[in-house]
Amino acid sequence: MERIRVSFSTGTAAGAGVGGLTWGQQQVFRAMREMGSSMSMGGVVPVHDARQVADFADELRFLMTRYPSMRSLLRFAPDGTTTQEVFTSGEAYLSVHTAGTDADAATLAAEVYAGWKSRPFEYTTEWPIRMAVVRTPAAVTHVLVDVCHLATDGSGLATMIRELPQRHALAATIAGGPLELAAQQRRSTRQTDNAMRFWETHLRTIDARRFPAGHRHPPAPRFRRLIWTSPALHAASERVASRLSVDTAPVLLAAYATAYARVVATPRFVTQVIVGNRFRPGLADAVTPLAQNGLVVIDTSRATADETIHRARQASMAASKYAYYDPAARDALLDRVSKDRGEPMDLQVLYNDRRTATSPAARPWTQAEIDALRPRTRVVSEAELPYFNEKLMLNIDDIEDTTQITTEVDTAYLPMPALHRLLTEMENFTVTAANSPPTPATP
C-alpha cells in the first residue's frame, strides 16, 4: 500500500477553533459510545472513467477544505467534557492499493473497506474521513470512502457526493460549520424550552414501560437484525396514500403503530422517531449530523385505519416540530419524570423512515395487483448482532418498488416469532386499508 500526502488549507480562520458539540453530534456520539462503533457511512464505488490517483487526491483535498466537519477532531477534558477543534489546514492521506487483475481489485477493495468498518475512528487524531483507491497496472478500478457519523449524516453525505463533481465551480470553503452551529444552538433556549414542554406533557401520561418484563434467559443470540421486504406493503401504502391525499410516511407509521398494538397488546403506541431537522432554515445542505429523536404517541384504540393514519400524521408532525433541542435538557427531564413516577421511563422503541421520497407514485394500484404481490413477501436476511443498545428499532429502507424494513431487536423483550408477526401485521393493516372504503377522519 502507498499513502499519498494531501495537504489542504482554507486560507481563512473563519469557522476554526475549539468549541462544544452540536445537538446532533451529542446525540450520535452517545450512540457511538454505546455501540462501540463509529457508525460510519460510505462504500466502495467502481471507477469507469479515466480518473487517476492524482484526481482522487484532488477530490480528497476539496472535501477537507470545503467542509469544516471533515477537519474536526475531538478533545476530551479530565472532567469528562467533550469538545471539538476545527482546523484551517493540515494533511490527509489517500491510500493506494494495487491488485493484479480487475477481479483481484474488487476483492481487495471489499477487504479494505471491511477493515475500515471494523475499526472505529481515532477521534482525537484521525480526520473523520477515510479515502482510498484500488488500481491495477491498467487503471484505477475502485474508490473507497468511509465517513465517521460524528462528522455528518446520510443527508450531509449526499450533499458531499452531489457537490464533488462541481468542485471546480464551488467556493473552496463553505460558510458555517459545527462550531458556529453549536454556538447558535446554545442561544436557542426558547426552542429547547418549547420542546421540553411537549415531551413532558406526554411523559407524564404514557405508560412508563414499552414491553412487559423482559425474559431472564432469552434465547441465544439475544440481539438480532432482520431484513424483511414486502412489495405488497409498498403498493398498498401508495394506494392508501393516494386515496387519502397524503404521502406514504404516515401510512407506514400507522401500520407500525397498529401492528405493535396487536402484538404487544397495548392500544397506546409510543416510539421515538428519527427526525432529520433539515427542514429548518439554513440546514438543508449542512454537512454535519442533524438528526435528533422526536416523540410519537398514537392512540390506536377504537380507530378505523383512516383515523389511525390521520392520527399518525398529526403525531409525526408534532414530533418533528419538537425534535430540535439540547440533549442535556431532555436527559434532565427524563431523570426528573422517572424519579417522580418511581420507575425509569422506557423510550427504547424507535422508528426511522430513511426514504428520500415518500410521495405516492402516479401508478394507480388495483387491489388485485396488491394481492398478487403478497406471495413475494420474504425475509431477506437474519443475523446476530454483537450488541444492541435499544429494545426495538424499525427502519424503513430507501429501496425502490418495495417496502424493505430493517429491524434490530432485543429478543429478551420481543422474541423473534413476535417480530415476524409484527411485520406481517403491518402488511395486513395496509393491504386491508387499501381495500377499504374511505371513512371520515376524526381528531
Side-chain angles (χ1 to χ4, degrees):
M1 181 191 72
E2 180 184 3
R3 299 181 77 211
I4 305 296
R5 181 184 290 114
V6 179
S7 299
F8 62 88
S9 177
T10 65
T12 175
V18 178
L21 303 186
T22 68
W23 293 343
Q25 286 178 312
Q26 290 176 49
Q27 174 159 319
V28 77
F29 193 47
R30 170 181 290 184
M32 287 164 53
R33 281 178 152 170
E34 290 176 352
M35 297 293 289
S37 166
S38 295
M39 299 170 64
S40 59
M41 299 163 290
V44 178
V45 179
V47 176
H48 299 298
D49 54 33
R51 283 177 293 171
Q52 302 297 312
V53 171
D55 297 308
F56 291 102
D58 183 61
E59 292 182 4
L60 177 57
R61 182 177 295 106
F62 168 79
L63 297 174
M64 296 299 301
T65 305
R66 182 164 174 80
Y67 307 111
S69 58
M70 295 301 117
R71 39 189 162 82
S72 174
L73 299 175
L74 293 188
R75 299 292 179 244
F76 301 114
D79 65 357
T81 302
T82 301
T83 58
Q84 61 185 320
E85 182 174 2
V86 178
F87 294 79
T88 61
S89 61
E91 292 180 343
Y93 289 88
L94 176 72
S95 300
V96 181
H97 302 263
T98 302
T101 66
D102 288 347
D104 291 341
T107 300
L108 179 57
E111 291 174 349
V112 171
Y113 189 70
W116 282 354
K117 294 291 286 185
S118 68
R119 188 180 80 249
F121 280 76
E122 297 289 342
Y123 305 118
T124 62
T125 58
E126 182 183 8
W127 301 123
I129 179 171
R130 296 165 175 163
M131 188 167 174
V133 295
V134 176
R135 65 183 177 185
T136 66
V140 173
T141 61
H142 298 81
V143 57
L144 297 70
V145 178
D146 197 35
V147 180
C148 178
H149 200 356
L150 190 62
T152 193
D153 53 22
S155 295
L157 183 61
T159 295
M160 296 168 63
I161 294 170
R162 186 182 68 251
E163 291 189 342
L164 190 58
Q166 310 166 26
R167 65 187 183 278
H168 298 300
L170 294 172
T173 303
I174 195 169
L179 296 184
E180 294 177 35
L181 180 57
Q184 176 187 326
Q185 290 172 339
R186 285 194 298 271
R187 298 190 294 269
S188 301
T189 55
R190 180 178 297 180
Q191 175 71 39
T192 292
D193 291 345
N194 290 340
M196 292 305 98
R197 280 192 289 271
F198 169 82
W199 279 73
E200 184 166 7
T201 297
H202 284 302
L203 293 176
R204 296 288 182 185
T205 58
I206 62 175
D207 291 338
R209 299 183 182 182
R210 306 280 66 80
F211 297 96
H215 302 283
R216 290 187 177 181
H217 303 290
R222 175 175 173 177
F223 307 114
R224 306 285 291 178
R225 173 180 289 125
L226 177 72
I227 302 177
W228 176 91
T229 186
S230 170
L233 178 54
H234 166 76
S237 67
E238 290 194 340
R239 179 178 167 91
V240 174
S242 178
R243 173 168 62 78
L244 298 179
S245 299
V246 298
D247 60 42
T248 58
V251 178
L252 293 181
L253 179 57
Y256 183 29
T258 302
Y260 185 93
R262 291 173 180 173
V263 172
V264 184
T266 175
R268 204 169 190 203
F269 173 69
V270 179
T271 187
Q272 293 190 83
V273 294
I274 310 302
V275 179
N277 280 318
R278 291 181 177 272
F279 58 88
R280 302 182 187 278
L283 298 183
D285 295 322
V287 177
T288 188
L290 290 169
Q292 290 187 256
N293 290 357
L295 183 64
V296 159
V297 179
I298 303 171
D299 186 356
T300 64
S301 62
R302 299 181 301 278
T304 66
D306 288 7
E307 288 169 340
T308 304
I309 293 166
H310 176 69
R311 294 175 187 181
R313 184 171 183 268
Q314 289 185 316
S316 180
M317 291 171 64
S320 294
K321 182 177 181 181
Y322 298 112
Y324 196 55
Y325 51 80
D326 182 351
R330 198 199 70 148
D331 291 345
L333 173 63
L334 285 171
D335 289 344
R336 186 170 69 252
V337 174
S338 296
K339 182 178 180 181
D340 291 346
R341 298 189 60 166
E343 62 180 322
M345 294 300 301
D346 178 6
L347 297 178
Q348 291 183 285
V349 172
L350 290 93
Y351 180 77
N352 185 15
D353 191 337
R354 302 191 284 207
R355 298 172 299 162
T356 56
T358 59
S359 298
R363 176 176 178 177
W365 292 97
T366 66
Q367 195 65 34
E369 289 175 321
I370 294 170
D371 292 340
L373 290 172
R374 296 200 76 172
R376 292 172 54 187
T377 300
R378 63 185 178 91
V379 172
V380 176
S381 65
E382 185 174 335
E384 176 183 357
L385 291 175
Y387 176 70
F388 180 47
N389 63 331
E390 308 291 351
K391 292 177 180 174
L392 174 65
M393 183 159 190
L394 190 149
N395 303 279
I396 308 295
D397 298 330
D398 195 9
I399 306 293
E400 291 185 0
D401 301 325
T402 190
T403 296
Q404 178 172 293
I405 300 178
T406 297
T407 56
E408 287 106 5
V409 64
D410 181 345
T411 62
Y413 295 92
L414 190 71
M416 291 305 294
L419 177 60
H420 282 273
R421 188 157 68 91
L422 185 147
L423 295 169
T424 299
E425 289 292 352
M426 286 184 66
E427 183 182 82
N428 290 340
F429 168 87
T430 313
V431 171
T432 301
N435 197 31
S436 301
T439 58
T442 59

